[in-house]
Amino acid sequence: MSYIPHTDVERQQMLAAIGVTTIEDLFESVPSRYRFPKLNLPKGLSELEAWAEVQAFAEANEHAGDYALFRGAGAYHHYIPAAVNHVLLRSEFYTAYTPYQPEVSQGTLQAIYEYQSMLCALTGMDAANASHYDGATSLAEAVTVALEASRRKRNKVVLHPAIHPHYRAVVRTYHQGNGVEFVGDTGKTIERTTADDLIKLIDDQTALVAVQYPNYLGNIEDFSKLVEATHNAGALICFVANPMALALFKSPGELGADIVVGEGQPLGIPLSYGGPYLGFFAVRDEYVRRIAGRIVGETIDHDGKRAFVMTLRPREQDIRREKASSNICTNQGLMALAACVYMSLMGRSGLRRAAEISYQRAHYAAKQINKLKGYKVNVGAAFFNEFPVKCPKPVSAINDFLIERGIIGGYPLEGDYPKLKDHMLVAVTEMNSKDEIDLLVEALAEAAK
Amino acid sequence: MTESLIYEISSPGRTAVTLPDVGVPEVELPKDLLRKDLDLPEVSELQVMRHFVNLSHLNHSIDTGLYPLGSCTMKYNPKVNEDAARLAGFAYLHPLSDEEGSQGALALMYQLQTWLAELSGFTGASIVPAAGAQGELAGILMIRAYHLDRKDHKRTKILVPDSAHGTNPATVSMAGLQAVELPSDKNGDVDLNALRAALDDSVAGMMITVPSTLGVFDTKIRDVIRMVHEAGGLMYMDGANMNALMGVVKPGELGFDVMHYNLHKTFSTPHGGGGPGCGAVGANEKLVDFLPGPIVEMVEETEDENDAPLYGLKMPVKSIGRLKAFQGNFGMHVRAYTYMRIYGGEGLHEVSRHAVLNANYVRAKLRGVYPMPVDRICGHEFVMSGHFEGVEGIHALDISKRLMDFGIHPPTNYFPLIVPEALLIEPTETEDKATLDNFVEVMKKIAQEAKDDPELLRSAPHTTPVKRVDEVRAAKQLMVCCRPIPDYDQQRTPSGD
Amino acid sequence: MSSQTPSELKYARTDEYLRLEGENATIGISDFAQEQLNDIVFVELPEVGAHVAQGEPFGAVESVKAASDLLMPVGGTVTEVNSQLSDEPELLNTSPYDKGWIVKIKVDDPSEANALMDAAAYIEYCKTR
Ligand SMILES: Cc1ncc(COP(=O)(O)O)c(C=O)c1O
């Protein structure tokens, strides 16, 4: 039967060794009334049949393999060199578990150590962990670090409203029982809030100020005054960063961040309908001992050879139990490996080049769309590869038209930002050729008619 | 055997990728906003492949050898699952796709939710949580929200047995509640007297693992559930050990209100060297409206059998909220779906039967060789003590390290905490009898060595890529990044306060 | 048991010792505690000026396999911390009563020390563990 190797003869031998006659005998401690319930589940299939079914599900989707995709909003379609997947498919990596036993896990440990080092380079931070579940939960964990750093004396968190709406929702879910006060991202004018507007919300109760870089609406804001005000108030500042943008723009470390978190998906991880992705988490030295989750350190073995091991373990849940600051155990390890392989392949010049191509093509698209009658793009703003477009019609109508032309259009913003009625958020990467962009522009023009 | 760091084989000017031309009229880059340099390695594609393939050789993995790591269910990860998750229609599907454009994905998720709920006897399930621990957080927040919704504000405590996995008490604190530790009896079952004494109207609920973390089914489980319910609390089941239960018992029918499943244990999605996973949660009538969202619902049923129904994403009416951006670790959903589809209901029951058969077989063979703190029929795993009367200075850790010399991954060490020198052994159903027999022989040999030549164990492992590592040094001379970080601190405004 | 338990000190059940000198006191962890913890790799210290009530945490010590909170044996205000421990946490292992002291405090109410054990009682208490 499928992946169960037992033969009838072996089963009998094993039962005899145990001293029972049937497998059912092994379940007598389960109350008989509840034992062996009927399962209303379908019958099993051969691999061949199951494959056909799964393939039919896959084919029912409209995806970036078949369509020109101009949607981002937190997940980006970048090129993934073929070698990334070949490494991920090494059984020795993906069928191992958390490297609790360093002697037989040096492969995973060293790869994570290299990942941590690359992430530090990218973010300008001193230390990174081996991952959180995604960008959103990384931000939720950053809130915890800041609360702990204030020794739980402060309980206010300022959130920039142009942080991804899902991230702000997740942070609230995580902290609903802790009496944390979240400010900054509510009210009638959040669409217009700038970093400087947040300064007046910072006080001596503020543990953390969080911003996104580039922000959810694509802009690269000037955070210098906000960073200064945050530090003057004795609070920490966290940047939620797009790692691809960091290949081109100043690192958050250079801009004064204390914690940098974000979604590592653009680093060699496919869109995959939202997961598995990679929550990255990096801090300045002062906060390294407050990081939750796994972290790998360099050391030596008994013979003095370089070796790697999970370190700072006592703060984790298996040792600290109810006093641990987070319950995280399983993380997104394989995705950290993907990012590590991706960054190795792209390297110093390649990653920057991919970012530059994305930048140039996005700016070209913005300019072309802004020329269209009825559409408006704020082409004067500083942005990386994503920008809002004001459309002459509801976004859903435009997108219905685009899909007929083989294009998946931008993401509607009105749901999260009511004042941005008829606005779509358009993302462009190195995957979108000039022809594709021209096709989009042409289709948008027609859709307006 | 060690491998250079990728940075150590880097040479300025080398690159592994060629990218296309910009291809559009270029604008000038905003100079003041740009970074000066990016300290990533400069290597060729072949160097990258060799580096990571060589690194992979330093790992033990399921596909290279037995991995009887208790509580983690290191079963075979079928290859068809990997191919399925990589189908273009899944891998290239944007998470914020319009619902009409993602019906295939939604249908698959809907099925998976429905099957998981059915398997455990629950009303509904959410497959958003990324791991078991996140499922736990969901469940405890749901219990909290349930009481608050009924205007019952005094329930602030969650009972957690001392045998529980560390994520359980950590979850309770994260949810802003208080973990109250309950002692277990010598079998690892709940001590009913202690439970009775702990129950009052400040108790929001209890978390418990079934079968217990010692691998045995608590025969008084119905009494425990009844007592907690009578006191007005709700029951959370840690479903990490679900591999013992499929078609054996439905937790929902036993009376549990909410539980998590680890798709990366029971449903064969790979552990990935530490993740990713999926910690789906199932809930009964009382809690289903509080599930984390979004969940997949059928928004339009069809009359014609040949038409597919329409699926959509919805937040449950009283949802505790979002736990992740988007809708979960979809790639794991595809793998678990494929696995369940191949097995079907009867097959999944066979999985549990054989998981329990394998564990009991190894237990029976090692009785009398190693001390067994709980000497009775076990579930899918069992616990032994890695300490022998009259052999001083040999610990579970030494036995574990010696196992590596035989190409076998050690069992879980030092968990559950209530068993001194615990070795928690979970063979899983995918191991054949010959592999188990070999494991038994090796364990017997090591037990003999412990008596004859204890130094052989204490200095083990001998054949691994590295020897025992200096953890004290790692923690004291903390090195978690191999590159110098530019010192931005001078540019940074000093903090007040 | 080979660990030392100086008789002029008072001990808490959570293994902190108190050296009371008028209204000032020095606090550290006992020799028994450092032996149990094994190689100490990190000490988290409070800020000077912090006020901590009796029984409340004022810091933490970590070894490779364990972490434990440090609890105030008597309430008081921190006047000095042993910052040498940040670089040399092993002082807690090598010299718990001397170079490995953790904080000095100004004591709120010296009579709170009456709740602590004397050396003889602490030795007995350690034997039971
Ligand atoms: C009993 C038990 N509960 C909970 C968990 C946590 O699950 P995860 O690692 O997926 O967060 C584990 C896994 O290690 C476990 O063994």
Side-chain angles (χ1 to χ4, degrees):
Chain A
M1 142 85 44
S2 303
Y3 314 106
I4 300 172
H6 302 63
T7 65
D8 282 336
V9 174
E10 286 168 343
R11 254 187 302 269
Q12 288 314 319
Q13 288 169 338
M14 292 169 80
L15 288 168
I18 299 166
V20 295
T21 42
T22 66
I23 296 187
E24 286 73 30
D25 296 343
L26 300 173
F27 294 95
E28 274 176 2
S29 53
V30 178
S32 57
R33 245 188 83 196
Y34 302 95
R35 205 185 304 157
F36 305 136
K38 200 178 130 13
L39 293 180
N40 182 18
L41 294 176
K43 258 176 54 105
L45 295 181
S46 64
E47 182 174 308
L48 175 77
E49 294 161 300
W51 179 255
E53 198 182 90
V54 174
Q55 206 169 23
F57 280 135
E59 278 166 8
N61 298 322
E62 292 163 357
H63 58 87
D66 290 344
Y67 289 76
L69 178 77
F70 289 94
R71 195 166 292 188
Y76 302 89
H77 187 40
H78 287 286
Y79 185 67
I80 304 174
V84 175
N85 197 34
H86 283 265
V87 174
L88 291 195
L89 277 172
R90 295 286 316 181
S91 286
E92 300 90 330
F93 283 126
Y94 84 84
T95 77
Y97 190 34
T98 303
Y100 290 116
Q101 303 283 356
E103 299 86 350
V104 288
S105 316
Q106 286 298 305
T108 296
L109 287 163
Q110 185 172 331
I112 294 173
Y113 181 74
E114 292 176 354
Y115 160 80
Q116 289 172 186
S117 303
M118 292 179 202
L119 246 216
C120 288
L122 203 54
T123 57
M125 292 284 107
D126 301 310
N129 78 358
S131 71
H132 278 296
Y133 304 135
D134 70 358
T137 68
S138 285
L139 180 58
E141 297 276 0
V143 169
T144 306
V145 166
L147 297 174
E148 294 278 325
S150 84
R151 299 173 195 242
R152 297 263 170 192
K153 289 200 188 102
R154 296 169 176 230
N155 74 337
K156 192 164 140 183
V157 173
V158 180
L159 294 177
H160 193 310
I163 292 175
H164 197 300
H166 287 184
Y167 290 28
R168 290 184 281 117
V170 168
V171 168
R172 284 182 166 84
T173 306
Y174 263 59
H175 294 280
Q176 61 191 267
N178 299 339
V180 182
E181 186 192 356
F182 292 100
V183 297
D185 67 334
T186 52
K188 293 220 173 72
T189 57
I190 53 166
E191 294 81 0
R192 284 199 291 277
T193 303
T194 66
D196 291 349
D197 295 333
L198 299 176
I199 291 174
K200 58 180 182 297
L201 300 174
I202 301 171
D203 59 23
D204 64 359
Q205 284 309 299
T206 306
L208 184 76
V209 176
V211 296
Q212 188 170 326
Y213 175 68
N215 73 24
Y216 179 67
L217 303 174
N219 290 336
I220 296 180
E221 289 181 81
D222 179 358
F223 294 129
S224 54
K225 290 205 191 82
L226 181 64
V227 168
E228 188 180 337
T230 304
H231 287 150
N232 283 340
L236 307 192
I237 186 149
C238 172
F239 280 47
V240 179
N242 175 346
M244 191 52 91
L246 298 189
L248 197 53
F249 294 96
K250 278 185 183 158
S251 75
E254 192 170 349
L255 298 173
D258 300 293
I259 307 176
V260 186
V261 301
E263 181 47 70
Q265 177 273 330
L267 303 174
I269 298 166
L271 291 168
S272 194
Y273 201 47
Y277 287 177
L278 168 67
F280 67 80
F281 196 99
V283 296
R284 288 188 187 282
D285 258 344
E286 298 95 288
Y287 309 110
V288 60
R289 286 173 186 275
R290 301 203 182 277
I291 297 184
R294 323 260 194 238
I295 180 159
V296 172
E298 187 181 319
T299 185
I300 52 174
D301 78 349
H302 189 73
D303 296 339
K305 264 195 305 200
R306 176 165 67 192
F308 302 91
V309 65
M310 292 201 292
T311 189
L312 304 182
R313 299 269 303 121
R315 70 213 62 247
E316 289 200 59
Q317 43 73 28
D318 50 343
I319 294 175
R320 207 79 165 118
R321 299 179 77 82
E322 75 279 0
K323 291 203 178 105
S325 64
S326 168
N327 67 352
I328 189 166
C329 179
T330 291
N331 57 19
Q332 303 281 122
L334 197 69
M335 301 297 106
L337 176 67
C340 181
V341 178
Y342 175 81
M343 286 190 277
S344 303
L345 289 162
M346 299 299 281
R348 177 176 243 126
S349 58
L351 198 66
R352 185 181 171 107
R353 181 85 189 136
E356 260 181 48
I357 300 172
S358 300
Y359 180 95
Q360 292 293 355
R361 292 188 183 173
H363 282 71
Y364 170 73
K367 211 162 109 200
Q368 297 303 100
I369 294 170
N370 193 41
K371 285 184 195 157
L372 296 177
K373 197 159 159 270
Y375 293 88
K376 209 178 147 11
V377 180
N378 181 4
V379 285
F383 65 95
F384 168 48
N385 72 333
E386 201 165 21
F387 51 90
V389 176
K390 181 166 185 339
C391 305
K393 282 184 183 169
V395 173
S396 59
I398 306 264
N399 277 337
D400 286 348
F401 184 87
L402 293 181
I403 205 87
E404 296 301 321
R405 298 293 175 93
I407 298 167
I408 297 173
Y411 187 64
L413 288 169
E414 189 181 343
D416 296 303
Y417 303 89
K419 294 228 164 67
L420 297 181
K421 194 166 173 301
D422 300 344
H423 281 66
M424 63 160 66
L425 187 62
V426 171
V428 182
T429 72
E430 76 279 12
M431 300 298 278
N432 303 112
S433 64
K434 177 166 183 294
D435 284 353
E436 260 186 35
I437 296 168
D438 292 342
L439 195 71
L440 169 72
V441 174
E442 212 175 285
L444 284 173
E446 274 183 59
K449 286 184 192 144
Chain B
M1 218 189 324
T2 51
E3 172 73 11
S4 301
L5 289 168
I6 188 104
Y7 277 103
E8 291 166 351
I9 56 172
S10 165
S11 284
R14 191 151 52 210
T15 175
V17 294
T18 311
L19 289 158
D21 294 335
V22 168
V24 296
E26 291 190 39
V27 294
E28 210 183 316
L29 294 173
K31 293 232 162 42
D32 333 336
L33 303 182
L34 301 186
R35 73 186 296 153
K36 290 196 191 63
D37 188 22
L38 179 59
D39 183 19
L40 291 181
E42 303 182 78
V43 286
S44 72
E45 183 169 327
L46 175 58
Q47 284 181 306
V48 170
M49 284 313 295
R50 279 205 187 130
H51 176 68
F52 287 103
V53 171
N54 286 340
L55 282 183
S56 78
H57 290 160
L58 308 181
N59 271 2
H60 184 93
S61 68
I62 299 173
D63 284 2
T64 47
L66 182 67
Y67 212 133
L69 190 67
S71 209
C72 299
T73 313
M74 303 301 288
K75 64 169 71 178
Y76 177 62
N77 308 137
K79 302 309 153 196
V80 63
N81 299 351
E82 295 305 307
D83 287 359
R86 285 168 171 83
L87 283 166
F90 296 141
Y92 296 140
L93 183 61
H94 192 278
L96 296 173
S97 292
D98 300 340
E99 276 169 11
E100 307 86 84
S102 42
Q103 284 301 306
L106 291 171
L108 181 147
M109 290 169 71
Y110 182 83
Q111 281 299 332
L112 181 61
Q113 273 174 206
T114 312
W115 292 346
L116 289 173
E118 166 61 18
L119 195 57
S120 288
F122 284 119
T123 315
S126 166
I127 52 178
V128 170
Q134 212 188 22
E136 291 174 36
L137 180 62
I140 297 304
L141 287 175
M142 286 161 70
I143 290 176
R144 179 179 175 275
Y146 169 85
H147 292 303
L148 293 180
D149 188 55
R150 300 168 74 236
K151 310 264 177 307
D152 187 348
H153 294 272
K154 55 192 179 306
R155 296 189 180 269
T156 54
K157 290 183 195 152
I158 299 279
L159 309 180
V160 184
D162 54 7
S163 58
H165 193 261
T167 49
N168 291 191
T171 296
V172 175
S173 301
M174 247 179 124
L177 300 174
Q178 190 196 339
V180 177
E181 191 173 280
L182 272 190
S184 306
D185 67 19
K186 64 176 192 326
N187 288 328
D189 292 346
V190 175
D191 179 337
L192 291 188
N193 288 328
L195 174 62
R196 199 168 291 115
L199 284 171
D200 60 28
D201 64 3
S202 69
V203 171
M206 176 169 182
M207 293 181 96
I208 180 170
T209 310
V210 181
S212 76
T213 56
L214 281 72
V216 292
F217 197 94
D218 190 337
T219 47
K220 298 171 305 223
I221 190 72
R222 280 288 306 146
D223 299 320
V224 173
I225 295 171
R226 191 171 342 100
M227 284 164 67
V228 173
H229 279 161
E230 276 168 12
L234 297 185
M235 287 300 294
Y236 182 93
M237 189 181 113
D238 181 330
N241 294 345
M242 188 74 193
N243 214 36
L245 299 186
M246 292 186 289
V248 170
V249 65
K250 292 182 175 179
E253 289 183 357
L254 275 179
F256 282 100
D257 299 290
V258 52
M259 72 171 275
H260 82 259
Y261 317 67
N262 297 66
L263 300 196
H264 46 299
K265 296 181 180 174
T266 318
F267 303 98
S268 84
T269 80
H271 283 77
C278 172
V281 262
N284 65 9
E285 207 59 63
K286 270 188 236 164
L287 290 178
V288 70
D289 288 342
F290 295 90
L291 282 169
I295 60 173
V296 184
E297 282 184 4
M298 206 185 279
V299 287
E300 239 177 69
E301 288 184 47
T302 45
E303 276 141 48
D304 184 347
E305 246 185 55
N306 297 317
D307 274 357
L310 193 70
Y311 298 97
L313 290 167
K314 290 272 172 316
M315 285 309 271
V317 282
K318 295 175 180 174
S319 177
I320 54 157
R322 277 189 174 279
L323 277 171
K324 269 180 111 279
F326 314 122
Q327 41 275 330
N329 278 343
F330 177 72
M332 302 297 122
H333 303 159
V334 176
R335 291 169 173 90
Y337 174 92
T338 309
Y339 180 77
M340 292 180 83
R341 195 69 192 94
I342 285 178
Y343 267 121
E346 284 171 26
L348 291 172
H349 182 48
E350 287 303 321
V351 166
S352 287
R353 282 160 49 94
H354 287 83
V356 172
L357 176 68
N358 275 3
N360 276 291
Y361 177 66
V362 177
R363 186 187 58 82
K365 290 283 208 178
L366 289 176
R367 273 181 81 191
V369 184
Y370 287 82
M372 305 258 173
V374 186
D375 196 10
R376 66 183 204 220
I377 299 271
C378 66
H380 66 307
E381 63 188 354
F382 67 97
V383 67
M384 319 191 301
S385 171
H387 187 75
F388 306 101
E389 283 292 316
V391 185
E392 284 309 311
I394 285 291
H395 298 279
L397 190 74
D398 303 311
I399 294 166
S400 290
K401 300 295 182 196
R402 181 68 181 138
L403 262 171
M404 297 174 185
D405 287 335
F406 296 91
I408 295 171
H409 194 281
T412 293
N413 279 181
Y414 303 109
F415 173 76
L417 300 177
I418 61 168
V419 176
E421 299 294 334
L423 288 167
L424 184 65
I425 298 176
E426 178 180 12
T428 84
E429 75 285 359
T430 53
E431 297 302 334
D432 60 75
K433 180 170 171 294
T435 306
L436 301 180
D437 286 337
N438 178 56
F439 175 64
V440 167
E441 285 318 307
V442 169
M443 288 304 287
K444 285 182 177 165
K445 186 168 171 8
I446 293 176
Q448 193 57 45
E449 287 173 354
K451 284 157 203 156
D452 300 344
D453 188 3
E455 196 42 39
L456 195 58
L457 272 63
R458 278 195 289 267
S459 57
H462 307 275
T463 60
T464 48
V466 299
K467 301 276 175 61
R468 289 197 199 192
V469 306
D470 189 343
E471 294 184 47
V472 173
R473 179 187 166 110
K476 262 190 181 166
Q477 305 174 16
L478 199 60
M479 283 222 290
V480 295
C481 169
C482 65
R483 304 299 284 177
I485 301 299
D487 189 7
Y488 301 117
D489 286 345
Q490 311 117 335
Q491 301 155 18
R492 188 173 157 224
T493 7
S495 60
D497 214 37
Chain C
M1 195 171 64
S2 61
S3 51
Q4 294 174 12
T5 312
S7 58
E8 70 277 16
L9 307 181
K10 294 276 208 168
Y11 299 87
R13 292 180 71 81
T14 45
D15 300 309
E16 296 82 6
Y17 67 77
L18 181 81
R19 185 190 304 274
L20 196 56
E21 286 151 333
E23 52 178 28
N24 296 314
T26 305
I27 294 166
I29 61 166
S30 72
D31 196 23
F32 176 83
Q34 72 76 17
E35 274 177 7
Q36 295 291 309
L37 277 163
N38 229 319
D39 288 310
I40 291 168
V41 296
F42 179 67
V43 187
E44 185 181 324
L45 298 166
E47 283 158 31
V48 170
H51 180 267
V52 189
Q54 185 174 31
E56 291 293 311
F58 67 91
V61 289
E62 283 177 19
S63 67
V64 179
K65 296 273 188 276
S68 56
D69 280 338
L70 296 165
L71 306 182
M72 269 297 183
V74 295
T77 304
V78 177
T79 55
E80 212 182 319
V81 301
N82 185 356
S83 44
Q84 211 182 343
L85 295 177
S86 305
D87 291 331
E88 295 175 74
E90 61 272 20
L91 289 176
L92 250 54
N93 293 117
T94 54
S95 178
Y97 299 111
D98 183 20
K99 291 199 182 109
W101 64 274
I102 301 174
V103 292
K104 299 197 185 207
I105 62 168
K106 186 161 177 315
V107 178
D108 292 344
D109 174 4
S111 74
E112 280 183 2
N114 296 340
L116 303 174
M117 287 174 268
D118 62 18
Y122 183 67
I123 290 169
E124 282 311 304
Y125 168 66
C126 289
K127 278 187 196 150
T128 65
R129 296 194 286 169

